[in-house]
Amino acid sequence: QVHLVESGGGLVQAGGSLRLSCAASGRIFSINAMGWYRQVPGKQREAVAAITSAYSTNYAESVKGRFTISRDNAKNTVYLQMNSLKPEDTAVYYCNAGVVVVQAGYEYEYWGQGTQVTVSS
């Protein structure tokens, strides 16, 4: 019904920047909050940043001042601008969205496939 497709991951040097994109498509009536999570092998998935449909944002303490989340509602797309990257940011990054599907009056959670971000020192 709904698919989230991520792009922008890759290998960067410490101090560099990367911009992740996640576009939602399908039978979308509306999208509530969208967010980015990351996961390192052996650890739980952690929230990195989130943004509501009204554009209010939340960030993990570890990325405040370095990462910026934004969204384009017309394109059903959320972005994560990552600056001043550190090796500790290395992880698989996942996009998440709360979507109200057409012909349904309630929200479903959808996840992207994950994209690898590797920061070298």
Side-chain angles (χ1 to χ4, degrees):
Q1 294 177 329
V2 176
H3 299 280
L4 273 58
V5 180
E6 300 172 343
S7 62
L11 174 65
V12 297
Q13 185 174 275
S17 298
L18 206 61
R19 192 190 196 202
L20 305 182
S21 299
C22 174
S25 62
R27 299 180 61 80
I28 299 169
F29 179 79
S30 63
I31 301 178
N32 296 320
M34 304 183 80
W36 290 94
Y37 295 72
R38 65 187 182 188
Q39 187 168 27
V40 176
K43 295 184 178 181
Q44 290 187 305
R45 187 174 299 184
E46 65 173 347
V48 176
I51 184 167
T52 71
S53 59
Y55 303 99
S56 63
T57 59
N58 287 310
Y59 297 93
E61 289 294 330
S62 60
V63 306
K64 285 183 177 178
R66 299 189 298 119
F67 291 10
T68 302
I69 188 170
S70 61
R71 66 189 288 170
D72 184 337
N73 289 335
K75 297 181 178 180
N76 292 324
T77 300
V78 63
Y79 307 92
L80 185 67
Q81 178 66 46
M82 303 184 292
N83 298 326
S84 301
L85 283 163
K86 305 174 181 179
E88 305 93 275
D89 296 317
T90 296
V92 176
Y93 284 71
Y94 297 89
C95 172
N96 169 266
V99 181
V100 179
V101 181
V102 173
Q103 295 183 314
Y106 38 85
E107 181 184 283
Y108 294 92
E109 292 280 349
Y110 289 93
W111 292 87
Q113 76 284 357
T115 184
Q116 178 70 46
V117 171
T118 302
V119 184
S120 65
S121 59

